Every structure is written in C-alpha cells, then in structure tokens.
Amino acid sequence: SQKIEQNSEALNIQEGKTATLTCNYTNYSPAYLQWYRQDPGRGPVFLLLIRENEKEKRKERLKVTFDTTLKQSLFHITASQPADSATYLCALKHNQGGKLIFGQGTELSVK
Amino acid sequence: EPEVTQTPSHQVTQMGQEVILRCVPISNHLYFYWYRQILGQKVEFLVSFYNNEISEKSEIFDDQFSVERPDGSNFTLKIRSTKLEDSAMYFCASTIGTGEVSGYTFGSGTRLTVV
C-alpha cells in the first residue's frame, strides 16, 4: 500500500542547532515533493518544493534533499530559532494523479 | 501577499443539518481544492476543481458532499446531512497551475463541530 511517513515523534532542538526532519514514502512515483509549515489551528503554509530530477533545494535557512532511490526527503532548518517551532508536513504529488498527499507531520520545538 | 479567505472560522451544527463552507481563492488561480484535518490526524484530500468541474475526488467525498463555484470568485463546500465524524478543520486551497512552481496556498480553515 502507499505510505508517507515522517518522524513519528516530536523533535526537540536547541536554539542555533540544525533541525533535520525525515519524510519517507513507499509505492509512489512523485513528480515533486513539497514541505509545509503548520501552526496550531492554522492552514499549511508552503515552504519549498523539489522535483524528482533535483537533488537539493535551498531557501534562506531551509534546505531540502530528495533521493528517489531511497524514497526519502530530508528537510533541514539551520540556525534554528524558537519561531521555527511548528509542525512540518511533507506532501507529494503522484506522477499520475493531481492530488497532494500529506504525511502526518513532525512537531518541532526549538528552545 | 494574496490570501485564500475562508468563512466562517468556526461552525457548530447539529447532526443531520446542512452546512456550507465558503472560500474565496486567490483571484488569478485556476485550481481549487478542499482538504480536511480531523484533530490530531493528517491533512486529507477531499476534492479538486478546475474549469468549473470536479477533476478528482477522494473516497471521503461521497454523495453527501458537493462543491460549487457559483459566481466566479467564491468556492463552496456543502455537506448535506452532517455526521459526527464530519467534525474537522476544513481547508480550502488554490493554485495558479498544478502546484509545481509555487505550491498550494491554503486558507486558515473552518473548524466544523457537529453535535
């Protein structure tokens, strides 16, 4: 069956350190993978998108990698700040379908 | 920055009643979506809408659900006869294309509580 799995436990990080979040998927052939931030009671906010033929994407303190062989994406926040505390969602769009499928999210706490 | 606007922010309704959730997508976007998130669970796809018709729908989106773009700006989700299990946050989203360049823009959601 098709699955998207993120770090199941909350991630606690010291301010200034790099946070690394993992997204694994099975039985998908995604055209691209996206990362979103979600704050409590709010809608997801788009952060970064990486295509299947791209290995890495950067935006300010954020970096995403995409390994289609391992079926994994890593999301890094460098020099993390308390304001980065939120739930981070990975989402992918299947090659043959239009809908965006979300992982369950990883809750990040920076202190 | 352009926003997707959803109303109401909260809706409490009795089981069996009809509800309409409203969304104003970003004006130059062409693709519209409804997602829902039951408390503590994943964001789940409900339906996508393009060119005035449903392009894809999930198993959740049964005959009790319908969508409409009545006037070229609003995009609505109707639940005809609400059930307790319909209680969730409902998010509207829009994209200018298929979402491959700038991602999806989500609204802040409508919290629906069915009692």
Coordinates of all heavy atoms in Angstrom, one line a residue, chain A residues 27-110:
Chain A
N27 N 5.7 3.1 -2.6 CA 4.7 2.9 -3.6 C 4.1 4.1 -4.2 O 2.9 4.2 -4.6 CB 3.6 2.0 -3.1 CG 4.1 0.6 -2.7 OD1 4.9 0.0 -3.4 ND2 3.6 0.0 -1.6
Y28 N 5.0 5.2 -4.3 CA 4.6 6.4 -5.0 C 5.7 6.6 -6.0 O 6.9 6.3 -5.8 CB 4.5 7.6 -4.1 CG 3.3 7.7 -3.3 CD1 3.3 7.5 -1.9 CD2 2.1 8.1 -3.9 CE1 2.1 7.6 -1.2 CE2 0.9 8.3 -3.1 CZ 1.0 8.0 -1.8 OH -0.2 8.2 -1.1
S29 N 5.4 7.3 -7.1 CA 6.4 7.9 -8.0 C 6.1 9.4 -8.1 O 5.5 9.8 -9.1 CB 6.2 7.2 -9.4 OG 6.4 5.8 -9.3
P30 N 6.5 10.1 -7.1 CA 6.1 11.5 -7.1 C 6.8 12.4 -8.2 O 8.0 12.2 -8.4 CB 6.6 12.0 -5.7 CG 7.7 11.0 -5.3 CD 7.4 9.7 -6.0
A31 N 6.0 13.3 -8.7 CA 6.6 14.2 -9.7 C 7.4 15.3 -8.9 O 8.4 15.8 -9.4 CB 5.4 14.9 -10.5
Y32 N 6.9 15.6 -7.7 CA 7.7 16.5 -6.9 C 7.2 16.3 -5.4 O 6.1 15.7 -5.2 CB 7.5 18.0 -7.3 CG 6.1 18.5 -7.5 CD1 5.4 18.9 -6.4 CD2 5.5 18.5 -8.7 CE1 4.1 19.4 -6.5 CE2 4.2 18.9 -8.9 CZ 3.5 19.4 -7.8 OH 2.2 19.9 -7.9
L33 N 8.0 16.9 -4.5 CA 7.7 16.8 -3.1 C 7.7 18.2 -2.5 O 8.6 19.0 -2.9 CB 8.7 15.8 -2.4 CG 8.4 15.4 -1.0 CD1 8.9 14.0 -0.8 CD2 9.1 16.3 0.0
Q34 N 6.8 18.5 -1.6 CA 6.7 19.8 -1.0 C 6.8 19.7 0.5 O 6.4 18.7 1.1 CB 5.3 20.4 -1.4 CG 5.1 20.5 -2.9 CD 3.8 21.2 -3.2 OE1 3.1 21.8 -2.4 NE2 3.5 21.2 -4.5
W35 N 7.2 20.8 1.1 CA 7.3 20.9 2.5 C 6.4 22.1 2.9 O 6.5 23.2 2.3 CB 8.7 21.0 3.1 CG 9.4 19.7 3.1 CD1 10.1 19.2 2.0 CD2 9.5 18.8 4.1 NE1 10.7 18.0 2.4 CE2 10.3 17.7 3.7 CE3 9.0 18.7 5.4 CZ2 10.6 16.6 4.5 CZ3 9.3 17.6 6.2 CH2 10.0 16.6 5.7
Y36 N 5.6 21.9 4.0 CA 4.8 22.9 4.5 C 5.0 23.1 6.0 O 5.4 22.1 6.7 CB 3.3 22.6 4.3 CG 2.8 22.7 2.9 CD1 3.1 21.7 2.0 CD2 2.1 23.8 2.4 CE1 2.7 21.7 0.6 CE2 1.7 23.9 1.1 CZ 2.0 22.9 0.2 OH 1.6 22.9 -1.1
R37 N 4.7 24.2 6.5 CA 4.7 24.5 7.9 C 3.2 24.7 8.4 O 2.4 25.3 7.7 CB 5.5 25.8 8.2 CG 5.3 26.3 9.7 CD 6.1 27.6 9.9 NE 5.7 28.1 11.2 CZ 6.6 28.6 12.1 NH1 7.9 28.7 11.7 NH2 6.2 29.0 13.2
Q38 N 2.9 24.1 9.5 CA 1.5 24.3 10.0 C 1.6 24.7 11.5 O 2.2 24.0 12.3 CB 0.7 23.0 9.9 CG -0.8 23.3 10.2 CD -1.7 22.1 10.0 OE1 -1.2 20.9 10.0 NE2 -3.0 22.3 9.7
D39 N 1.0 25.8 11.8 CA 0.9 26.2 13.2 C -0.5 25.8 13.8 O -1.4 25.6 13.0 CB 1.1 27.8 13.3 CG 2.5 28.2 13.0 OD1 3.4 28.0 13.9 OD2 2.8 28.7 11.9
P40 N -0.6 25.7 15.1 CA -1.8 25.1 15.7 C -3.1 25.9 15.2 O -3.1 27.2 15.3 CB -1.6 25.3 17.2 CG -0.1 25.2 17.3 CD 0.4 25.9 16.1
G41 N -4.1 25.2 14.7 CA -5.3 25.9 14.3 C -5.3 26.7 13.0 O -6.2 27.4 12.7
R42 N -4.2 26.5 12.3 CA -4.0 27.2 11.0 C -3.8 26.3 9.9 O -3.5 25.1 10.0 CB -2.7 28.1 11.1 CG -2.7 29.0 12.4 CD -3.6 30.1 12.3 NE -3.3 31.1 11.3 CZ -4.0 32.2 11.0 NH1 -5.1 32.4 11.6 NH2 -3.6 33.0 10.1
G43 N -3.9 26.9 8.6 CA -3.7 26.1 7.5 C -2.2 25.9 7.2 O -1.4 26.7 7.6
P44 N -1.9 24.9 6.4 CA -0.5 24.7 6.0 C 0.0 25.9 5.2 O -0.7 26.4 4.4 CB -0.5 23.4 5.1 CG -1.8 22.7 5.5 CD -2.7 23.8 5.9
V45 N 1.3 26.2 5.4 CA 2.0 27.3 4.6 C 3.1 26.7 3.8 O 4.0 26.0 4.4 CB 2.5 28.4 5.6 CG1 3.3 29.4 4.8 CG2 1.3 29.0 6.3
F46 N 3.1 26.9 2.5 CA 4.1 26.3 1.6 C 5.5 26.9 1.9 O 5.6 28.1 2.1 CB 3.7 26.6 0.2 CG 4.7 26.3 -0.8 CD1 5.0 25.0 -1.1 CD2 5.5 27.3 -1.5 CE1 6.0 24.6 -2.1 CE2 6.4 26.9 -2.4 CZ 6.7 25.6 -2.7
L47 N 6.5 26.0 2.0 CA 7.8 26.4 2.2 C 8.7 26.2 1.0 O 9.4 27.1 0.5 CB 8.4 25.7 3.4 CG 7.7 25.9 4.8 CD1 8.3 25.0 5.8 CD2 7.9 27.4 5.2
L48 N 8.8 24.9 0.6 CA 9.7 24.6 -0.5 C 9.2 23.4 -1.3 O 8.4 22.6 -0.8 CB 11.1 24.1 0.1 CG 12.1 25.1 0.4 CD1 13.3 24.4 1.1 CD2 12.6 25.8 -0.8
L49 N 9.6 23.4 -2.6 CA 9.2 22.3 -3.5 C 10.5 21.8 -4.2 O 11.4 22.5 -4.5 CB 8.2 22.9 -4.6 CG 7.8 22.0 -5.7 CD1 6.4 22.5 -6.2 CD2 8.8 22.0 -6.9
I50 N 10.6 20.5 -4.3 CA 11.7 19.9 -5.0 C 11.2 18.8 -6.0 O 10.3 18.0 -5.7 CB 12.7 19.3 -4.0 CG1 14.0 18.8 -4.7 CG2 12.1 18.2 -3.2 CD1 15.2 18.5 -3.8
R51 N 11.7 18.9 -7.2 CA 11.2 18.0 -8.3 C 12.0 16.7 -8.3 O 13.1 16.6 -7.7 CB 11.4 18.7 -9.6 CG 10.4 19.9 -9.8 CD 10.5 20.5 -11.2 NE 9.6 21.6 -11.3 CZ 9.8 22.8 -10.8 NH1 10.9 23.1 -10.2 NH2 8.9 23.8 -10.9
E52 N 11.5 15.7 -8.9 CA 12.1 14.4 -8.9 C 13.5 14.4 -9.5 O 14.3 13.5 -9.2 CB 11.2 13.4 -9.6 CG 10.9 13.7 -11.1 CD 10.0 12.7 -11.8 OE1 10.0 11.5 -11.3 OE2 9.4 13.1 -12.7
N53 N 13.8 15.3 -10.4 CA 15.1 15.3 -11.0 C 16.1 16.3 -10.3 O 17.2 16.5 -10.8 CB 15.0 15.7 -12.5 CG 14.4 17.1 -12.7 OD1 13.9 17.7 -11.7 ND2 14.4 17.6 -13.9
E54 N 15.7 16.8 -9.2 CA 16.5 17.7 -8.4 C 17.0 17.0 -7.1 O 16.2 16.2 -6.5 CB 15.8 19.0 -8.0 CG 15.4 19.8 -9.2 CD 14.5 21.0 -8.7 OE1 13.6 20.8 -7.9 OE2 14.7 22.1 -9.3
K55 N 18.2 17.2 -6.7 CA 18.8 16.5 -5.5 C 18.6 17.4 -4.3 O 18.5 16.9 -3.2 CB 20.3 16.2 -5.8 CG 20.5 15.3 -6.9 CD 20.1 13.9 -6.5 CE 20.4 12.9 -7.6 NZ 19.7 11.6 -7.4
E56 N 18.7 18.7 -4.5 CA 18.7 19.6 -3.3 C 18.1 21.0 -3.7 O 18.3 21.4 -4.9 CB 20.2 19.8 -2.9 CG 20.4 20.7 -1.7 CD 21.9 20.8 -1.3 OE1 22.5 19.7 -1.0 OE2 22.4 21.9 -1.4
K57 N 17.5 21.6 -2.8 CA 16.9 22.9 -3.0 C 17.2 23.7 -1.7 O 17.0 23.2 -0.6 CB 15.4 22.8 -3.2 CG 14.8 23.9 -4.0 CD 15.1 23.8 -5.5 CE 14.2 24.6 -6.3 NZ 12.8 24.1 -6.5
R58 N 17.5 25.0 -1.8 CA 17.7 25.8 -0.6 C 16.9 27.1 -0.7 O 16.6 27.6 -1.8 CB 19.2 26.2 -0.6 CG 20.1 25.1 -0.2 CD 21.6 25.6 -0.3 NE 22.5 24.5 -0.1 CZ 23.1 24.2 1.0 NH1 22.9 24.9 2.1 NH2 23.9 23.2 1.1
K59 N 16.5 27.6 0.5 CA 15.8 28.9 0.6 C 16.1 29.4 2.0 O 15.7 28.9 3.0 CB 14.3 28.7 0.4 CG 13.5 30.0 0.5 CD 12.0 29.7 0.4 CE 11.2 30.9 0.7 NZ 9.8 30.6 0.7
E60 N 17.0 30.4 2.0 CA 17.4 31.0 3.2 C 18.0 30.0 4.2 O 18.9 29.3 3.8 CB 16.3 31.8 3.8 CG 15.8 33.0 2.9 CD 14.5 33.7 3.4 OE1 13.9 33.2 4.4 OE2 14.2 34.6 2.8
R61 N 17.4 29.8 5.4 CA 17.9 28.8 6.3 C 17.4 27.4 6.1 O 17.7 26.4 6.8 CB 17.6 29.2 7.7 CG 18.3 30.5 8.2 CD 18.0 30.8 9.7 NE 16.6 31.1 9.9 CZ 15.8 30.3 10.6 NH1 16.2 29.2 11.1 NH2 14.5 30.7 10.8
L62 N 16.6 27.2 5.0 CA 16.0 25.9 4.8 C 16.7 25.2 3.6 O 17.1 25.8 2.7 CB 14.5 26.1 4.3 CG 13.6 27.0 5.3 CD1 12.2 27.0 4.7 CD2 13.6 26.4 6.7
K63 N 16.8 23.9 3.8 CA 17.4 23.0 2.7 C 16.6 21.7 2.6 O 16.2 21.1 3.6 CB 18.8 22.7 3.0 CG 19.5 21.9 1.9 CD 21.0 21.7 2.1 CE 21.2 20.4 2.9 NZ 22.6 20.0 3.0
V64 N 16.2 21.3 1.4 CA 15.5 20.1 1.2 C 16.3 19.2 0.3 O 16.9 19.7 -0.7 CB 14.1 20.3 0.5 CG1 13.5 19.0 0.2 CG2 13.3 21.1 1.5
T65 N 16.4 17.9 0.6 CA 17.0 17.0 -0.3 C 16.0 15.9 -0.7 O 15.0 15.7 0.0 CB 18.2 16.3 0.3 OG1 17.8 15.5 1.4 CG2 19.3 17.3 0.7
F66 N 16.2 15.3 -1.9 CA 15.2 14.4 -2.4 C 16.0 13.2 -3.1 O 16.8 13.4 -4.0 CB 14.4 15.1 -3.5 CG 13.1 14.4 -3.9 CD1 12.6 13.3 -3.2 CD2 12.4 14.8 -5.0 CE1 11.4 12.7 -3.6 CE2 11.2 14.2 -5.4 CZ 10.8 13.1 -4.7
D67 N 15.9 12.0 -2.5 CA 16.5 10.8 -3.0 C 15.5 9.9 -3.5 O 14.9 9.2 -2.7 CB 17.4 10.2 -1.9 CG 18.3 9.1 -2.4 OD1 17.9 8.4 -3.4 OD2 19.4 9.0 -1.9
T68 N 15.3 9.8 -4.8 CA 14.2 8.9 -5.3 C 14.6 7.5 -5.3 O 13.7 6.6 -5.3 CB 13.9 9.3 -6.8 OG1 15.0 9.3 -7.5 CG2 13.2 10.7 -6.8
T69 N 15.9 7.2 -5.1 CA 16.3 5.8 -4.9 C 15.9 5.3 -3.5 O 15.4 4.2 -3.3 CB 17.8 5.6 -5.2 OG1 18.1 6.1 -6.5 CG2 18.2 4.2 -5.0
L70 N 16.3 6.1 -2.5 CA 15.9 5.8 -1.1 C 14.5 6.1 -0.8 O 14.0 5.6 0.2 CB 16.8 6.6 -0.2 CG 18.3 6.3 -0.1 CD1 19.0 7.2 0.9 CD2 18.5 4.8 0.4
K71 N 13.8 6.8 -1.7 CA 12.4 7.2 -1.5 C 12.3 8.0 -0.2 O 11.5 7.8 0.7 CB 11.5 6.1 -1.5 CG 11.4 5.3 -2.8 CD 10.3 4.2 -2.8 CE 10.3 3.4 -4.1 NZ 10.1 4.2 -5.3
Q72 N 13.2 9.1 -0.2 CA 13.3 9.8 1.1 C 13.6 11.3 0.8 O 14.3 11.6 -0.2 CB 14.4 9.3 1.9 CG 14.6 10.0 3.3 CD 15.7 9.4 4.1 OE1 16.9 9.6 3.8 NE2 15.4 8.6 5.0
S73 N 13.0 12.2 1.6 CA 13.3 13.6 1.5 C 13.8 14.0 2.9 O 13.1 13.6 3.9 CB 12.2 14.4 1.1 OG 12.5 15.8 1.1
L74 N 14.8 14.8 3.0 CA 15.2 15.4 4.3 C 15.0 16.9 4.2 O 15.3 17.5 3.2 CB 16.7 15.1 4.5 CG 17.1 13.6 4.7 CD1 18.6 13.5 4.9 CD2 16.3 12.9 5.8
F75 N 14.6 17.4 5.3 CA 14.3 18.9 5.5 C 15.1 19.4 6.6 O 15.0 18.9 7.7 CB 12.8 19.1 5.7 CG 12.4 20.5 5.9 CD1 12.2 21.3 4.9 CD2 12.1 21.0 7.2 CE1 11.8 22.7 5.0 CE2 11.7 22.3 7.4 CZ 11.5 23.1 6.3
H76 N 16.0 20.4 6.3 CA 16.9 20.9 7.3 C 16.5 22.4 7.6 O 16.3 23.2 6.6 CB 18.3 20.9 6.8 CG 18.8 19.5 6.3 ND1 19.3 18.6 7.2 CD2 18.7 18.9 5.1 CE1 19.6 17.5 6.5 NE2 19.3 17.7 5.2
I77 N 16.6 22.8 8.8 CA 16.5 24.2 9.2 C 17.8 24.5 10.0 O 18.0 23.9 11.1 CB 15.3 24.5 10.2 CG1 14.0 24.0 9.5 CG2 15.2 26.0 10.5 CD1 12.8 24.1 10.4
T78 N 18.6 25.3 9.4 CA 19.9 25.7 10.1 C 19.7 26.9 11.0 O 18.7 27.6 10.8 CB 21.0 26.0 9.0 OG1 20.5 27.1 8.2 CG2 21.3 24.8 8.1
A79 N 20.5 27.0 12.0 CA 20.5 28.1 12.9 C 19.1 28.2 13.5 O 18.5 29.3 13.4 CB 21.0 29.4 12.3
S80 N 18.5 27.2 14.0 CA 17.1 27.2 14.3 C 16.8 28.2 15.4 O 17.6 28.5 16.3 CB 16.6 25.8 14.7 OG 17.4 25.3 15.8
Q81 N 15.6 28.7 15.4 CA 15.1 29.7 16.3 C 13.8 29.3 16.9 O 13.1 28.5 16.3 CB 14.9 31.0 15.6 CG 16.0 31.5 14.8 CD 15.7 32.6 13.7 OE1 14.5 33.0 13.6 NE2 16.6 33.1 13.0
P82 N 13.5 29.8 18.1 CA 12.2 29.4 18.7 C 11.0 29.7 17.8 O 10.0 28.9 17.8 CB 12.1 30.3 20.0 CG 13.5 30.5 20.3 CD 14.3 30.6 19.0
A83 N 11.1 30.7 16.9 CA 10.0 31.0 16.0 C 9.8 29.9 14.9 O 8.8 29.8 14.2 CB 10.2 32.3 15.3
D84 N 10.8 29.0 14.8 CA 10.7 27.8 13.9 C 9.8 26.7 14.5 O 9.5 25.8 13.8 CB 12.0 27.3 13.6 CG 12.9 28.3 12.8 OD1 12.4 29.1 12.0 OD2 14.1 28.3 13.0
S85 N 9.4 26.8 15.8 CA 8.6 25.8 16.4 C 7.3 25.7 15.7 O 6.5 26.7 15.7 CB 8.5 26.1 17.9 OG 9.7 26.1 18.5
A86 N 6.9 24.5 15.2 CA 5.7 24.3 14.5 C 5.7 22.9 14.1 O 6.6 22.1 14.3 CB 5.6 25.2 13.2
T87 N 4.6 22.5 13.4 CA 4.6 21.1 12.8 C 4.9 21.3 11.3 O 4.4 22.2 10.6 CB 3.2 20.5 12.9 OG1 2.9 20.3 14.3 CG2 3.1 19.2 12.2
Y88 N 5.8 20.4 10.8 CA 6.2 20.5 9.4 C 5.7 19.2 8.7 O 5.8 18.1 9.1 CB 7.8 20.5 9.4 CG 8.3 21.9 9.9 CD1 8.5 22.1 11.2 CD2 8.5 22.9 9.0 CE1 8.9 23.3 11.7 CE2 8.9 24.2 9.4 CZ 9.1 24.4 10.8 OH 9.5 25.6 11.2
L89 N 5.1 19.5 7.6 CA 4.4 18.5 6.8 C 5.1 18.3 5.5 O 5.5 19.2 4.8 CB 3.0 18.9 6.5 CG 2.1 19.4 7.6 CD1 0.7 19.9 7.0 CD2 1.9 18.3 8.6
C90 N 5.4 17.0 5.1 CA 5.8 16.8 3.7 C 4.6 16.3 2.9 O 3.6 15.8 3.5 CB 6.9 15.8 3.6 SG 6.5 14.1 3.9
A91 N 4.6 16.6 1.7 CA 3.4 16.3 0.8 C 4.0 16.0 -0.6 O 4.9 16.6 -1.1 CB 2.5 17.5 0.7
L92 N 3.4 15.0 -1.2 CA 3.8 14.7 -2.5 C 2.7 14.5 -3.5 O 1.5 14.3 -3.1 CB 4.7 13.4 -2.5 CG 4.2 12.1 -2.0 CD1 3.3 11.4 -3.0 CD2 5.3 11.2 -1.5
K93 N 3.0 14.7 -4.7 CA 2.0 14.6 -5.8 C 2.4 13.4 -6.7 O 3.5 13.4 -7.2 CB 2.0 15.9 -6.6 CG 0.8 16.0 -7.5 CD 0.7 17.5 -8.0 CE -0.5 17.6 -8.9 NZ -0.6 19.0 -9.4
H94 N 1.6 12.5 -6.7 CA 1.9 11.3 -7.5 C 2.0 11.7 -9.0 O 1.3 12.5 -9.5 CB 0.7 10.3 -7.3 CG 1.1 8.9 -7.7 ND1 1.3 8.5 -9.1 CD2 1.4 7.8 -7.0 CE1 1.6 7.2 -9.1 NE2 1.7 6.8 -7.9
N95 N 2.9 11.0 -9.7 CA 3.1 11.3 -11.1 C 1.8 11.2 -11.9 O 1.6 12.0 -12.8 CB 4.1 10.2 -11.6 CG 5.3 10.9 -12.3 OD1 5.3 12.1 -12.5 ND2 6.3 10.1 -12.5
Q96 N 1.0 10.3 -11.6 CA -0.2 10.1 -12.4 C -1.5 10.6 -11.8 O -2.5 10.4 -12.4 CB -0.4 8.6 -12.6 CG 0.8 7.9 -13.4 CD 0.7 6.4 -13.5 OE1 -0.3 5.9 -13.0 NE2 1.6 5.8 -14.1
G97 N -1.3 11.3 -10.8 CA -2.6 11.9 -10.2 C -2.4 13.4 -9.8 O -1.2 13.8 -9.7
G98 N -3.4 14.1 -9.6 CA -3.3 15.5 -9.3 C -3.3 15.9 -7.9 O -2.9 17.0 -7.5
K99 N -3.7 15.0 -7.0 CA -3.9 15.4 -5.6 C -2.6 15.4 -4.9 O -1.7 14.7 -5.2 CB -4.9 14.5 -4.9 CG -4.5 13.0 -4.9 CD -5.6 12.2 -4.4 CE -5.2 10.7 -4.4 NZ -6.3 9.8 -4.2
L100 N -2.5 16.2 -3.9 CA -1.4 16.4 -3.0 C -1.7 15.5 -1.7 O -2.8 15.6 -1.1 CB -1.2 17.8 -2.6 CG 0.1 18.3 -2.1 CD1 1.2 18.1 -3.1 CD2 0.0 19.8 -1.7
I101 N -0.8 14.6 -1.4 CA -0.9 13.7 -0.3 C 0.0 14.1 0.8 O 1.2 14.2 0.5 CB -0.6 12.2 -0.7 CG1 -1.5 11.8 -1.9 CG2 -0.9 11.3 0.5 CD1 -2.9 11.9 -1.7
F102 N -0.5 14.2 2.0 CA 0.3 14.7 3.1 C 0.8 13.6 4.1 O 0.1 12.6 4.3 CB -0.5 15.7 4.0 CG -0.6 17.1 3.3 CD1 -1.6 17.3 2.4 CD2 0.3 18.1 3.7 CE1 -1.7 18.6 1.9 CE2 0.2 19.3 3.1 CZ -0.8 19.6 2.2
G103 N 2.0 13.8 4.6 CA 2.4 13.0 5.7 C 1.7 13.4 7.0 O 1.0 14.5 7.0
Q104 N 2.0 12.7 8.1 CA 1.3 13.1 9.4 C 1.9 14.3 10.1 O 1.4 14.8 11.0 CB 1.2 11.9 10.3 CG 2.5 11.6 11.1 CD 3.5 10.7 10.3 OE1 3.4 10.7 9.1 NE2 4.3 10.1 11.0
G105 N 3.1 14.7 9.6 CA 3.8 15.8 10.2 C 4.7 15.5 11.3 O 4.6 14.5 12.0
T106 N 5.7 16.3 11.5 CA 6.7 16.3 12.6 C 6.6 17.6 13.4 O 6.7 18.6 12.8 CB 8.1 16.0 12.2 OG1 8.2 14.8 11.5 CG2 9.0 16.0 13.4
E107 N 6.3 17.4 14.7 CA 6.3 18.6 15.5 C 7.7 19.0 16.0 O 8.4 18.2 16.6 CB 5.4 18.4 16.8 CG 5.1 19.6 17.6 CD 4.2 19.3 18.8 OE1 3.6 18.2 18.8 OE2 4.1 20.2 19.7
L108 N 8.1 20.2 15.7 CA 9.4 20.7 16.0 C 9.3 21.7 17.1 O 8.5 22.6 17.0 CB 10.1 21.3 14.8 CG 11.5 22.0 15.1 CD1 12.5 21.0 15.4 CD2 11.9 22.8 13.8
S109 N 10.1 21.5 18.2 CA 10.2 22.5 19.2 C 11.6 23.0 19.4 O 12.5 22.2 19.6 CB 9.7 21.9 20.5 OG 9.8 22.8 21.6
V110 N 11.8 24.3 19.3 CA 13.2 24.9 19.4 C 13.2 25.7 20.7 O 12.4 26.7 20.8 CB 13.5 25.8 18.2 CG1 14.9 26.4 18.3 CG2 13.3 25.0 16.9

